[in-house]
Amino acid sequence: MDILRTPDEMTRYAEAARMSGERIAFVPTMGFLHDGHVALMREGRRRASVLVASIFVNPTQFGPSEDFGRYPRAFERDCELMQTVPVDAVFAPEPAAMYSPDAQTWVEVTEMTQGLCGAHRPGHFRGVTTIVAKLFNIVKPHVALFGEKDFQQLRAIQKMVADLNFDVEVVPVPIAREKDGLAMSSRNAYLSPAERERALALSLALRAARETHREGACCVEQIVHCARRVLRRTEGVEIEYVSAVDADTLAPYPPLTRPILVAIAARVGRTRLIDNTVLEPALTDVHIEEQ
Ligand code: AMP
């Protein structure tokens, strides 16, 4: 596995691969890898002849009071895990190699980043779309894999790719969960054993939302209400938001005839966790007659 430390090295590698007719799959990560990341890498492996992953804790997507400094890092262990996939090349630059002090350019998706996490993390998505645009220019992938765990991020990147004509296929990968339902996340490492128990409230709340939807909820407000009730009854879980939005546009107040994203952000102790599920519209009488 090649380890590339500068944008120049990475670009030369990508250009050589493209010149030899290879198809490049790319998985951007912030490291401290888990099985969710590995699922993205395996999907990339299936879809291309060369698999590149990046490990870069991107400073511009963290707010001043967020966890950039203490974000978990374990490069050696990450490399061992990536070799099992196997990943062909890892791009792991230092921040100074990615951002020059006199940079003036941002890439920003303006509307669909306003709600959900965007409302609570000012500047976060601007940092995400800027670094992903830079990584796409450096790695030159044909296909890039993103997890549905960060659903708003996935939609923002799809919008950026469409709006700016990036020649990259964006492939969504479903959420990888622990056996008991907790969505895998590098930040789960922050949780004490007691907090780890409490964190289950997020996936349980989403399960309640799914049940309410399946049993014929009258509106999205009822679905949100049920999810909130589950979160509220767990002590030590502080809700940041519970929202139900259109799963394609992320617009609020979707009718139940649309696919609906139910998304949660909550703090368990000092740790901010997110999770979500997509509810597909129930089959209507019209659909059943058509079958
Ligand atoms: P991160 O390292 O947290 O920035 O995540 C890198 C990529 O892995 C992003 O596309 C995430 O959405 C994806 N990812 C993180 N956790 C999961 C998970 N539990 N299931 C699927 N994808 C995930």
PDB file of all heavy atoms in Angstrom, residues 197-226:
ATOM      1  N   GLU A 197     -24.328   2.851  26.672  1.00  0.00           N
ATOM      2  CA  GLU A 197     -25.696   2.337  26.883  1.00  0.00           C
ATOM      3  C   GLU A 197     -26.726   3.381  26.469  1.00  0.00           C
ATOM      4  O   GLU A 197     -27.670   3.097  25.728  1.00  0.00           O
ATOM      5  CB  GLU A 197     -25.915   2.026  28.370  1.00  0.00           C
ATOM      6  CG  GLU A 197     -25.618   0.605  28.812  1.00  0.00           C
ATOM      7  CD  GLU A 197     -26.314  -0.439  27.964  1.00  0.00           C
ATOM      8  OE1 GLU A 197     -27.554  -0.459  27.953  1.00  0.00           O
ATOM      9  OE2 GLU A 197     -25.598  -1.224  27.296  1.00  0.00           O
ATOM     10  N   ARG A 198     -26.509   4.611  26.970  1.00  0.00           N
ATOM     11  CA  ARG A 198     -27.471   5.697  26.702  1.00  0.00           C
ATOM     12  C   ARG A 198     -27.539   6.031  25.215  1.00  0.00           C
ATOM     13  O   ARG A 198     -28.589   6.422  24.706  1.00  0.00           O
ATOM     14  CB  ARG A 198     -27.075   6.970  27.456  1.00  0.00           C
ATOM     15  CG  ARG A 198     -27.317   6.867  28.928  1.00  0.00           C
ATOM     16  CD  ARG A 198     -26.851   8.129  29.630  1.00  0.00           C
ATOM     17  NE  ARG A 198     -26.444   7.779  30.971  1.00  0.00           N
ATOM     18  CZ  ARG A 198     -25.412   8.269  31.629  1.00  0.00           C
ATOM     19  NH1 ARG A 198     -24.649   9.196  31.066  1.00  0.00           N
ATOM     20  NH2 ARG A 198     -25.121   7.870  32.831  1.00  0.00           N
ATOM     21  N   ALA A 199     -26.403   5.861  24.523  1.00  0.00           N
ATOM     22  CA  ALA A 199     -26.339   6.224  23.099  1.00  0.00           C
ATOM     23  C   ALA A 199     -27.298   5.387  22.255  1.00  0.00           C
ATOM     24  O   ALA A 199     -27.680   5.775  21.152  1.00  0.00           O
ATOM     25  CB  ALA A 199     -24.908   6.059  22.595  1.00  0.00           C
ATOM     26  N   LEU A 200     -27.698   4.238  22.805  1.00  0.00           N
ATOM     27  CA  LEU A 200     -28.648   3.376  22.075  1.00  0.00           C
ATOM     28  C   LEU A 200     -29.984   4.066  21.849  1.00  0.00           C
ATOM     29  O   LEU A 200     -30.751   3.684  20.958  1.00  0.00           O
ATOM     30  CB  LEU A 200     -28.909   2.099  22.878  1.00  0.00           C
ATOM     31  CG  LEU A 200     -27.979   0.942  22.634  1.00  0.00           C
ATOM     32  CD1 LEU A 200     -28.460  -0.265  23.409  1.00  0.00           C
ATOM     33  CD2 LEU A 200     -27.935   0.624  21.138  1.00  0.00           C
ATOM     34  N   ALA A 201     -30.269   5.099  22.666  1.00  0.00           N
ATOM     35  CA  ALA A 201     -31.542   5.820  22.537  1.00  0.00           C
ATOM     36  C   ALA A 201     -31.737   6.367  21.118  1.00  0.00           C
ATOM     37  O   ALA A 201     -32.866   6.449  20.632  1.00  0.00           O
ATOM     38  CB  ALA A 201     -31.604   6.952  23.557  1.00  0.00           C
ATOM     39  N   LEU A 202     -30.642   6.716  20.431  1.00  0.00           N
ATOM     40  CA  LEU A 202     -30.796   7.298  19.079  1.00  0.00           C
ATOM     41  C   LEU A 202     -31.381   6.268  18.109  1.00  0.00           C
ATOM     42  O   LEU A 202     -32.360   6.551  17.415  1.00  0.00           O
ATOM     43  CB  LEU A 202     -29.447   7.809  18.538  1.00  0.00           C
ATOM     44  CG  LEU A 202     -29.027   9.204  19.008  1.00  0.00           C
ATOM     45  CD1 LEU A 202     -28.447   9.166  20.407  1.00  0.00           C
ATOM     46  CD2 LEU A 202     -28.035   9.841  18.047  1.00  0.00           C
ATOM     47  N   SER A 203     -30.789   5.072  18.078  1.00  0.00           N
ATOM     48  CA  SER A 203     -31.311   4.076  17.123  1.00  0.00           C
ATOM     49  C   SER A 203     -32.688   3.578  17.559  1.00  0.00           C
ATOM     50  O   SER A 203     -33.534   3.265  16.714  1.00  0.00           O
ATOM     51  CB  SER A 203     -30.325   2.925  16.925  1.00  0.00           C
ATOM     52  OG  SER A 203     -29.921   2.390  18.147  1.00  0.00           O
ATOM     53  N   LEU A 204     -32.925   3.545  18.889  1.00  0.00           N
ATOM     54  CA  LEU A 204     -34.268   3.143  19.361  1.00  0.00           C
ATOM     55  C   LEU A 204     -35.318   4.180  18.950  1.00  0.00           C
ATOM     56  O   LEU A 204     -36.437   3.832  18.565  1.00  0.00           O
ATOM     57  CB  LEU A 204     -34.268   2.956  20.877  1.00  0.00           C
ATOM     58  CG  LEU A 204     -33.504   1.725  21.371  1.00  0.00           C
ATOM     59  CD1 LEU A 204     -33.437   1.708  22.900  1.00  0.00           C
ATOM     60  CD2 LEU A 204     -34.145   0.432  20.858  1.00  0.00           C
ATOM     61  N   ALA A 205     -34.946   5.445  19.014  1.00  0.00           N
ATOM     62  CA  ALA A 205     -35.877   6.514  18.608  1.00  0.00           C
ATOM     63  C   ALA A 205     -36.199   6.396  17.114  1.00  0.00           C
ATOM     64  O   ALA A 205     -37.348   6.595  16.700  1.00  0.00           O
ATOM     65  CB  ALA A 205     -35.268   7.870  18.920  1.00  0.00           C
ATOM     66  N   LEU A 206     -35.189   6.058  16.327  1.00  0.00           N
ATOM     67  CA  LEU A 206     -35.430   5.912  14.884  1.00  0.00           C
ATOM     68  C   LEU A 206     -36.309   4.695  14.613  1.00  0.00           C
ATOM     69  O   LEU A 206     -37.151   4.703  13.716  1.00  0.00           O
ATOM     70  CB  LEU A 206     -34.106   5.793  14.128  1.00  0.00           C
ATOM     71  CG  LEU A 206     -33.266   7.072  14.137  1.00  0.00           C
ATOM     72  CD1 LEU A 206     -31.876   6.821  13.557  1.00  0.00           C
ATOM     73  CD2 LEU A 206     -33.966   8.190  13.347  1.00  0.00           C
ATOM     74  N   ARG A 207     -36.119   3.655  15.427  1.00  0.00           N
ATOM     75  CA  ARG A 207     -36.974   2.474  15.277  1.00  0.00           C
ATOM     76  C   ARG A 207     -38.436   2.839  15.584  1.00  0.00           C
ATOM     77  O   ARG A 207     -39.360   2.436  14.868  1.00  0.00           O
ATOM     78  CB  ARG A 207     -36.504   1.337  16.182  1.00  0.00           C
ATOM     79  CG  ARG A 207     -37.192   0.024  15.846  1.00  0.00           C
ATOM     80  CD  ARG A 207     -36.880  -1.061  16.843  1.00  0.00           C
ATOM     81  NE  ARG A 207     -35.476  -1.429  16.854  1.00  0.00           N
ATOM     82  CZ  ARG A 207     -34.938  -2.247  17.760  1.00  0.00           C
ATOM     83  NH1 ARG A 207     -35.687  -2.767  18.729  1.00  0.00           N
ATOM     84  NH2 ARG A 207     -33.677  -2.555  17.706  1.00  0.00           N
ATOM     85  N   ALA A 208     -38.626   3.646  16.628  1.00  0.00           N
ATOM     86  CA  ALA A 208     -39.987   4.091  16.971  1.00  0.00           C
ATOM     87  C   ALA A 208     -40.571   4.914  15.821  1.00  0.00           C
ATOM     88  O   ALA A 208     -41.757   4.777  15.482  1.00  0.00           O
ATOM     89  CB  ALA A 208     -39.956   4.909  18.254  1.00  0.00           C
ATOM     90  N   ALA A 209     -39.744   5.738  15.203  1.00  0.00           N
ATOM     91  CA  ALA A 209     -40.212   6.545  14.059  1.00  0.00           C
ATOM     92  C   ALA A 209     -40.653   5.635  12.913  1.00  0.00           C
ATOM     93  O   ALA A 209     -41.697   5.853  12.291  1.00  0.00           O
ATOM     94  CB  ALA A 209     -39.090   7.475  13.599  1.00  0.00           C
ATOM     95  N   ARG A 210     -39.863   4.596  12.655  1.00  0.00           N
ATOM     96  CA  ARG A 210     -40.205   3.658  11.569  1.00  0.00           C
ATOM     97  C   ARG A 210     -41.542   2.977  11.854  1.00  0.00           C
ATOM     98  O   ARG A 210     -42.377   2.809  10.961  1.00  0.00           O
ATOM     99  CB  ARG A 210     -39.132   2.566  11.430  1.00  0.00           C
ATOM    100  CG  ARG A 210     -37.783   3.032  10.997  1.00  0.00           C
ATOM    101  CD  ARG A 210     -36.914   1.855  10.550  1.00  0.00           C
ATOM    102  NE  ARG A 210     -37.318   1.420   9.236  1.00  0.00           N
ATOM    103  CZ  ARG A 210     -36.914   2.002   8.117  1.00  0.00           C
ATOM    104  NH1 ARG A 210     -36.060   2.980   8.148  1.00  0.00           N
ATOM    105  NH2 ARG A 210     -37.351   1.579   6.959  1.00  0.00           N
ATOM    106  N   GLU A 211     -41.722   2.574  13.134  1.00  0.00           N
ATOM    107  CA  GLU A 211     -42.975   1.878  13.489  1.00  0.00           C
ATOM    108  C   GLU A 211     -44.179   2.805  13.331  1.00  0.00           C
ATOM    109  O   GLU A 211     -45.204   2.412  12.775  1.00  0.00           O
ATOM    110  CB  GLU A 211     -42.904   1.341  14.916  1.00  0.00           C
ATOM    111  CG  GLU A 211     -42.320  -0.059  14.954  1.00  0.00           C
ATOM    112  CD  GLU A 211     -41.789  -0.455  16.326  1.00  0.00           C
ATOM    113  OE1 GLU A 211     -42.308   0.069  17.333  1.00  0.00           O
ATOM    114  OE2 GLU A 211     -40.842  -1.260  16.359  1.00  0.00           O
ATOM    115  N   THR A 212     -44.037   4.030  13.816  1.00  0.00           N
ATOM    116  CA  THR A 212     -45.138   5.000  13.701  1.00  0.00           C
ATOM    117  C   THR A 212     -45.500   5.219  12.233  1.00  0.00           C
ATOM    118  O   THR A 212     -46.665   5.290  11.859  1.00  0.00           O
ATOM    119  CB  THR A 212     -44.724   6.352  14.330  1.00  0.00           C
ATOM    120  OG1 THR A 212     -44.200   6.098  15.609  1.00  0.00           O
ATOM    121  CG2 THR A 212     -45.882   7.304  14.419  1.00  0.00           C
ATOM    122  N   HIS A 213     -44.483   5.298  11.398  1.00  0.00           N
ATOM    123  CA  HIS A 213     -44.708   5.488   9.959  1.00  0.00           C
ATOM    124  C   HIS A 213     -45.424   4.283   9.369  1.00  0.00           C
ATOM    125  O   HIS A 213     -46.417   4.419   8.650  1.00  0.00           O
ATOM    126  CB  HIS A 213     -43.348   5.704   9.287  1.00  0.00           C
ATOM    127  CG  HIS A 213     -43.420   5.946   7.811  1.00  0.00           C
ATOM    128  ND1 HIS A 213     -42.983   5.036   6.884  1.00  0.00           N
ATOM    129  CD2 HIS A 213     -43.894   7.011   7.098  1.00  0.00           C
ATOM    130  CE1 HIS A 213     -43.165   5.528   5.667  1.00  0.00           C
ATOM    131  NE2 HIS A 213     -43.708   6.716   5.774  1.00  0.00           N
ATOM    132  N   ARG A 214     -44.942   3.089   9.733  1.00  0.00           N
ATOM    133  CA  ARG A 214     -45.523   1.864   9.165  1.00  0.00           C
ATOM    134  C   ARG A 214     -46.978   1.683   9.607  1.00  0.00           C
ATOM    135  O   ARG A 214     -47.813   1.213   8.851  1.00  0.00           O
ATOM    136  CB  ARG A 214     -44.686   0.651   9.594  1.00  0.00           C
ATOM    137  CG  ARG A 214     -44.938  -0.574   8.736  1.00  0.00           C
ATOM    138  CD  ARG A 214     -44.097  -1.763   9.124  1.00  0.00           C
ATOM    139  NE  ARG A 214     -44.124  -2.034  10.546  1.00  0.00           N
ATOM    140  CZ  ARG A 214     -43.045  -2.116  11.310  1.00  0.00           C
ATOM    141  NH1 ARG A 214     -41.862  -1.947  10.797  1.00  0.00           N
ATOM    142  NH2 ARG A 214     -43.156  -2.374  12.593  1.00  0.00           N
ATOM    143  N   GLU A 215     -47.256   2.098  10.862  1.00  0.00           N
ATOM    144  CA  GLU A 215     -48.614   1.925  11.371  1.00  0.00           C
ATOM    145  C   GLU A 215     -49.564   3.001  10.857  1.00  0.00           C
ATOM    146  O   GLU A 215     -50.713   3.078  11.298  1.00  0.00           O
ATOM    147  CB  GLU A 215     -48.595   1.918  12.906  1.00  0.00           C
ATOM    148  CG  GLU A 215     -48.044   0.616  13.453  1.00  0.00           C
ATOM    149  CD  GLU A 215     -47.640   0.712  14.921  1.00  0.00           C
ATOM    150  OE1 GLU A 215     -47.951   1.744  15.551  1.00  0.00           O
ATOM    151  OE2 GLU A 215     -46.992  -0.228  15.394  1.00  0.00           O
ATOM    152  N   GLY A 216     -49.083   3.870   9.963  1.00  0.00           N
ATOM    153  CA  GLY A 216     -49.974   4.844   9.326  1.00  0.00           C
ATOM    154  C   GLY A 216     -50.048   6.167  10.048  1.00  0.00           C
ATOM    155  O   GLY A 216     -51.135   6.641  10.401  1.00  0.00           O
ATOM    156  N   ALA A 217     -48.905   6.791  10.278  1.00  0.00           N
ATOM    157  CA  ALA A 217     -48.888   8.124  10.914  1.00  0.00           C
ATOM    158  C   ALA A 217     -49.678   9.112  10.066  1.00  0.00           C
ATOM    159  O   ALA A 217     -49.759   8.964   8.844  1.00  0.00           O
ATOM    160  CB  ALA A 217     -47.448   8.596  11.049  1.00  0.00           C
ATOM    161  N   CYS A 218     -50.244  10.130  10.745  1.00  0.00           N
ATOM    162  CA  CYS A 218     -51.033  11.119   9.994  1.00  0.00           C
ATOM    163  C   CYS A 218     -50.140  12.144   9.314  1.00  0.00           C
ATOM    164  O   CYS A 218     -50.484  12.708   8.293  1.00  0.00           O
ATOM    165  CB  CYS A 218     -52.027  11.813  10.927  1.00  0.00           C
ATOM    166  SG  CYS A 218     -51.195  12.808  12.174  1.00  0.00           S
ATOM    167  N   CYS A 219     -48.954  12.394   9.871  1.00  0.00           N
ATOM    168  CA  CYS A 219     -48.096  13.470   9.348  1.00  0.00           C
ATOM    169  C   CYS A 219     -46.687  13.286   9.922  1.00  0.00           C
ATOM    170  O   CYS A 219     -46.494  12.503  10.856  1.00  0.00           O
ATOM    171  CB  CYS A 219     -48.658  14.823   9.788  1.00  0.00           C
ATOM    172  SG  CYS A 219     -48.878  14.915  11.573  1.00  0.00           S
ATOM    173  N   VAL A 220     -45.722  14.021   9.374  1.00  0.00           N
ATOM    174  CA  VAL A 220     -44.343  13.851   9.862  1.00  0.00           C
ATOM    175  C   VAL A 220     -44.186  14.330  11.307  1.00  0.00           C
ATOM    176  O   VAL A 220     -43.340  13.822  12.034  1.00  0.00           O
ATOM    177  CB  VAL A 220     -43.293  14.545   8.952  1.00  0.00           C
ATOM    178  CG1 VAL A 220     -43.176  13.843   7.621  1.00  0.00           C
ATOM    179  CG2 VAL A 220     -43.558  16.012   8.795  1.00  0.00           C
ATOM    180  N   GLU A 221     -45.016  15.288  11.714  1.00  0.00           N
ATOM    181  CA  GLU A 221     -44.912  15.787  13.090  1.00  0.00           C
ATOM    182  C   GLU A 221     -45.141  14.645  14.087  1.00  0.00           C
ATOM    183  O   GLU A 221     -44.476  14.574  15.128  1.00  0.00           O
ATOM    184  CB  GLU A 221     -45.917  16.915  13.355  1.00  0.00           C
ATOM    185  CG  GLU A 221     -45.572  18.245  12.709  1.00  0.00           C
ATOM    186  CD  GLU A 221     -45.922  18.322  11.224  1.00  0.00           C
ATOM    187  OE1 GLU A 221     -46.441  17.312  10.675  1.00  0.00           O
ATOM    188  OE2 GLU A 221     -45.671  19.364  10.605  1.00  0.00           O
ATOM    189  N   GLN A 222     -46.079  13.759  13.767  1.00  0.00           N
ATOM    190  CA  GLN A 222     -46.362  12.631  14.659  1.00  0.00           C
ATOM    191  C   GLN A 222     -45.142  11.698  14.742  1.00  0.00           C
ATOM    192  O   GLN A 222     -44.803  11.187  15.819  1.00  0.00           O
ATOM    193  CB  GLN A 222     -47.591  11.860  14.143  1.00  0.00           C
ATOM    194  CG  GLN A 222     -48.104  10.844  15.131  1.00  0.00           C
ATOM    195  CD  GLN A 222     -49.236   9.987  14.552  1.00  0.00           C
ATOM    196  OE1 GLN A 222     -49.741  10.250  13.450  1.00  0.00           O
ATOM    197  NE2 GLN A 222     -49.605   8.956  15.284  1.00  0.00           N
ATOM    198  N   ILE A 223     -44.470  11.513  13.624  1.00  0.00           N
ATOM    199  CA  ILE A 223     -43.282  10.645  13.582  1.00  0.00           C
ATOM    200  C   ILE A 223     -42.163  11.259  14.441  1.00  0.00           C
ATOM    201  O   ILE A 223     -41.526  10.574  15.249  1.00  0.00           O
ATOM    202  CB  ILE A 223     -42.816  10.459  12.114  1.00  0.00           C
ATOM    203  CG1 ILE A 223     -43.893   9.689  11.334  1.00  0.00           C
ATOM    204  CG2 ILE A 223     -41.476   9.756  12.047  1.00  0.00           C
ATOM    205  CD1 ILE A 223     -43.670   9.657   9.840  1.00  0.00           C
ATOM    206  N   VAL A 224     -41.968  12.558  14.291  1.00  0.00           N
ATOM    207  CA  VAL A 224     -40.935  13.264  15.066  1.00  0.00           C
ATOM    208  C   VAL A 224     -41.261  13.195  16.556  1.00  0.00           C
ATOM    209  O   VAL A 224     -40.379  12.953  17.398  1.00  0.00           O
ATOM    210  CB  VAL A 224     -40.811  14.734  14.591  1.00  0.00           C
ATOM    211  CG1 VAL A 224     -39.986  15.566  15.559  1.00  0.00           C
ATOM    212  CG2 VAL A 224     -40.212  14.784  13.197  1.00  0.00           C
ATOM    213  N   HIS A 225     -42.542  13.372  16.874  1.00  0.00           N
ATOM    214  CA  HIS A 225     -42.984  13.344  18.262  1.00  0.00           C
ATOM    215  C   HIS A 225     -42.630  11.996  18.919  1.00  0.00           C
ATOM    216  O   HIS A 225     -42.120  11.949  20.044  1.00  0.00           O
ATOM    217  CB  HIS A 225     -44.495  13.602  18.312  1.00  0.00           C
ATOM    218  CG  HIS A 225     -45.076  13.499  19.672  1.00  0.00           C
ATOM    219  ND1 HIS A 225     -44.925  14.490  20.613  1.00  0.00           N
ATOM    220  CD2 HIS A 225     -45.782  12.497  20.263  1.00  0.00           C
ATOM    221  CE1 HIS A 225     -45.522  14.107  21.721  1.00  0.00           C
ATOM    222  NE2 HIS A 225     -46.049  12.905  21.541  1.00  0.00           N
ATOM    223  N   CYS A 226     -42.877  10.897  18.202  1.00  0.00           N
ATOM    224  CA  CYS A 226     -42.592   9.561  18.761  1.00  0.00           C
ATOM    225  C   CYS A 226     -41.095   9.366  18.991  1.00  0.00           C
ATOM    226  O   CYS A 226     -40.683   8.810  20.010  1.00  0.00           O
ATOM    227  CB  CYS A 226     -43.094   8.472  17.815  1.00  0.00           C
ATOM    228  SG  CYS A 226     -44.869   8.393  17.839  1.00  0.00           S
TER     229      CYS A 226
END
